[in-house]
């Protein structure tokens, strides 16, 4: 493991959405902690990084990833995927509990944490299972799982069909002030579907998932959260109706947060034409109207965070008739580049876009990261915003299941520190 860094980063444009800072300055890291930010700092004897023309940002916080281990059917390891994340400026990865074994007991969570510490490239923040085995029937021991490091609880996209079970889960979590993460999708309405239900699914002859499957479940979760007082985070919203429901709930004073996958901001359901399995994701890519509503939701803050929904898969997982392929995109390598490209295209303001991948996801889920805070172990990245290179040239995830492999994206990461240690440094 790398020692804590002593480092002076000079003349960077320091952008910290948490504090509103956006200025050219020096930043000093001493014994791994941010000690000073200011003009023309002096620190004899420490390593110096000339960052003139570069951006210095908080380390990215990815609010939704799937671990490669312990798990089956996914490519890579915790070490390989956290290394890929570090090279992309990500310092904190919030991991779904759909591991094998499921993260519904202390031993499984402890195993994840130990392997994460050994990998030491990015901090893996585990979510605990909301129900035992993610079966949606019996509640997990949330209090015990929180004691060993689970920051929130989720059922990882597996349905909790019994509303009474979900209500009791919310009540139990609210008792301990634990956030609950819900990825809304009604099981009956989405059964057998693999794409958005609409003209494209009809032309391709593929079974569709109607937008109502999501918005109906959003409404249920919002009503249950209001009744129980639980801290609710809605994950991977995809429809205009869902955005409207969250916006209305907030206007009525309800405290609810939400995120969206970066691929849902980039692509609509036409991307699956030609049975392109690289665009087979769950929840599915929606219509162009839905995509526009998602972008508007991020821009006005209704959708707090942007995540990668990182799901690294083997090549074989995408080689089958479309409905039989595994859904998922390997996303950590491209999260920052795709987000900055939306800024360059004028679809998101820079400050809001950076907030959505740093402070906002940390705030939603109680992760200690996403900001440049004095005295805290430094989690940050230095980025060349202007430099573009083909994604494939620096692809590090073990899963190459992405539709953007041949794209050229902005935002090359030059340096990453995670909790005071250098975890990535680009070649000169």
């Amino acid at each position: 493991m790398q020692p804590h860094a002593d480092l002076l980063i000079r003349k960077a444009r320091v952008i910290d959405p948490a504090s509103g800072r956006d200025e050219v300055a020096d930043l000093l890291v001493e014994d791994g902690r941010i000690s000073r930010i200011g003009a023309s700092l002096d620190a004899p004897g420490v390593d110096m990084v000339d960052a003139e023309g570069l951006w210095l940002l908080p380390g990215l916080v990815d609010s939704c990833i799937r671990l490669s281990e312990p798990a089956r059917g996914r490519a890579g390891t915790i070490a390989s995927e956290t290394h890929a994340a570090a090279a992309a400026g990500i310092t904190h990865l919030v991991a779904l509990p759909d591991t094998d074994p499921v993260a519904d007991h202390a031993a499984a969570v402890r195993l994840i944490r130990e392997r994460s510490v050994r990998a030491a490239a990015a901090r893996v923040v585990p979510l605990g299972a909301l129900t035992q085995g993610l079966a949606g029937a019996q509640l997990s021991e949330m209090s015990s799982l929180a004691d060993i490091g689970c920051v929130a609880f989720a059922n990882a996209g597996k349905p909790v069909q019994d509303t009474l079970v979900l209500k009791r889960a919310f009540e139990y979590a609210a008792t301990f002030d634990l956030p609950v993460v819900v990825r809304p999708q009604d099981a009956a309405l989405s059964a057998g579907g693999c794409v958005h239900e609409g003209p494209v699914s009809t032309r391709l002859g593929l079974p569709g998932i109607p937008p109502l499957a999501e918005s109906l479940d959003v409404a249920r979760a919002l009503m249950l959260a209001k009744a129980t007082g639980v801290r609710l985070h809605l994950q991977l919203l995809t429809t205009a109706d869902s955005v409207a429901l969250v916006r209305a709930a907030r206007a009525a004073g309800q405290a609810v947060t939400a995120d969206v996958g970066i691929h849902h901001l980039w692509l609509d359901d036409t991307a699956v034409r030609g049975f392109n399995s690289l665009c087979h994701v769950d929840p599915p890519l929606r219509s162009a109207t839905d995509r526009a509503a998602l972008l508007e939701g991020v821009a006005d803050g209704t959708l707090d965070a942007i995540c990668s929904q990182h799901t690294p898969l083997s090549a074989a997982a995408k080689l089958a008739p479309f409905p039989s392929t595994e859904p998922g995109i390997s996303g950590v390598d491209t999260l920052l580049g795709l987000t900055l490209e939306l800024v360059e295209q004028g679809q998101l303001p820079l400050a809001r876009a950076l907030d959505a991948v740093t402070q906002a996801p940390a705030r939603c889920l109680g992760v200690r990261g996403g900001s440049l805070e004095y005295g805290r172990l430094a989690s940050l990245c230095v980025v060349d915003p202007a430099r573009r290179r083909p994604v494939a040239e620096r692809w590090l995830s073990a899963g190459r299941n992405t539709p953007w492999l041949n794209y050229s994206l902005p935002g090359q990461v030059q340096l990453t520190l995670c909790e005071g240690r250098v975890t990535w440094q680009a070649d000169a």
Side-chain angles (χ1 to χ4, degrees):
M1 184 179 288
Q2 293 284 333
H4 281 151
D6 291 303
L7 205 60
L8 177 59
I9 303 171
R10 301 197 63 195
K11 297 182 179 179
R13 180 181 173 187
V14 181
I15 308 175
D16 180 21
S19 64
R21 183 189 297 272
D22 185 350
E23 61 180 348
V24 175
D26 299 347
L27 183 145
L28 179 61
V29 176
E30 292 181 299
D31 195 22
R33 298 181 185 277
I34 298 174
S35 62
R36 283 187 286 168
I37 303 175
S40 302
L41 299 181
D42 189 23
V46 306
D47 292 337
M48 208 166 294
V49 176
D50 181 3
E52 188 169 8
L54 307 182
W55 293 356
L56 194 162
L57 311 174
L60 274 63
V61 178
D62 191 341
S63 61
C64 180
I65 66 120
R66 288 195 145 87
L67 288 174
S68 301
E69 64 167 320
R72 295 177 182 173
R74 296 172 199 152
T77 61
I78 288 179
S80 69
E81 302 314 289
T82 54
H83 181 56
I90 299 171
T91 55
H92 292 77
L93 297 160
V94 180
L96 293 174
D98 57 345
T99 48
D100 184 11
V102 171
D104 62 358
H105 57 282
V109 175
R110 196 171 292 119
L111 176 65
I112 292 167
R113 289 174 62 85
E114 288 173 355
R115 291 184 182 181
S116 166
V117 169
R118 281 203 298 271
R123 171 67 65 184
V124 175
V125 182
L127 297 181
L130 191 66
T131 62
Q132 294 179 23
L134 304 176
Q138 302 291 326
L139 303 191
S140 68
E141 290 291 339
M142 287 183 249
S143 175
S144 301
L145 293 171
D147 287 343
I148 59 170
C150 292
V151 297
F153 294 85
N155 227 45
K158 305 293 184 185
V160 182
Q161 290 182 271
D162 189 323
T163 302
L164 181 58
V165 172
L166 190 61
K167 178 173 178 289
R168 286 175 174 162
F170 280 19
E171 289 170 339
Y172 185 71
T175 300
F176 296 98
D177 194 29
L178 300 171
V180 170
V181 178
V182 170
R183 207 206 84 187
Q185 189 158 283
D186 182 88
L189 290 175
S190 58
C194 60
V195 293
H196 170 69
E197 184 179 274
V200 173
S201 68
T202 300
R203 281 197 293 274
L204 295 177
L206 294 173
I209 300 174
L212 182 63
E214 179 177 297
S215 52
L216 196 66
D217 223 19
V218 168
R220 180 178 74 145
L222 287 170
M223 294 185 73
L224 286 174
K226 184 177 180 182
T228 60
V230 76
R231 292 161 56 195
L232 174 66
H233 180 75
L234 292 165
Q235 191 171 63
L236 293 169
L237 297 188
T238 66
T239 74
D241 284 345
S242 295
V243 176
L245 285 166
V246 173
R247 189 176 286 125
R250 286 190 172 175
Q254 189 170 351
V256 56
T257 58
D259 66 37
V260 59
I262 184 66
H263 38 283
H264 290 103
L265 296 177
W266 260 80
L267 304 170
D268 59 41
D269 60 333
T270 60
V272 304
R273 287 174 178 164
F275 302 97
N276 183 1
S277 61
L278 291 177
C279 295
H280 181 193
V281 291
D282 182 23
L285 302 172
R286 295 294 184 182
S287 69
T289 301
D290 290 311
R291 175 176 169 259
L294 295 174
L295 283 164
E296 184 181 349
V298 174
D300 70 13
T302 302
L303 301 178
D304 302 83
I306 302 172
C307 64
S308 75
Q309 200 191 3
H310 180 65
T311 308
L313 299 170
S314 67
K318 292 293 188 180
L319 297 176
F322 188 96
S324 299
T325 58
E326 291 290 330
I329 288 176
S330 183
V332 292
D333 293 79
T334 51
L335 177 61
L336 178 61
L338 290 172
T339 301
L340 293 180
E341 184 75 353
L342 290 174
V343 174
E344 288 200 5
Q345 293 174 2
Q347 301 196 63
L348 290 177
L350 175 63
R352 179 77 264 279
L354 293 179
D355 179 58
V357 292
T358 57
Q359 180 213 202
R363 171 177 48 79
C364 292
L365 298 173
V367 175
R368 285 181 59 81
S371 63
L372 301 175
E373 188 176 318
Y374 286 116
R376 180 181 288 182
L377 287 171
S379 290
L380 56 82
C381 59
V382 176
V383 178
D384 185 342
R387 188 175 180 189
R388 287 176 173 267
R389 64 192 299 177
V391 170
E393 285 188 8
R394 195 196 276 177
W395 188 268
L396 293 175
S397 170
R400 296 176 68 85
N401 49 304
T402 173
W404 290 289
L405 210 54
N406 296 317
Y407 275 57
S408 179
L409 295 174
Q412 293 301 305
V413 175
Q414 304 300 304
L415 174 73
T416 303
L417 268 70
C418 177
E419 299 185 342
R421 294 182 167 87
V422 175
T423 53
W424 169 259
Q425 192 152 21
D427 296 334

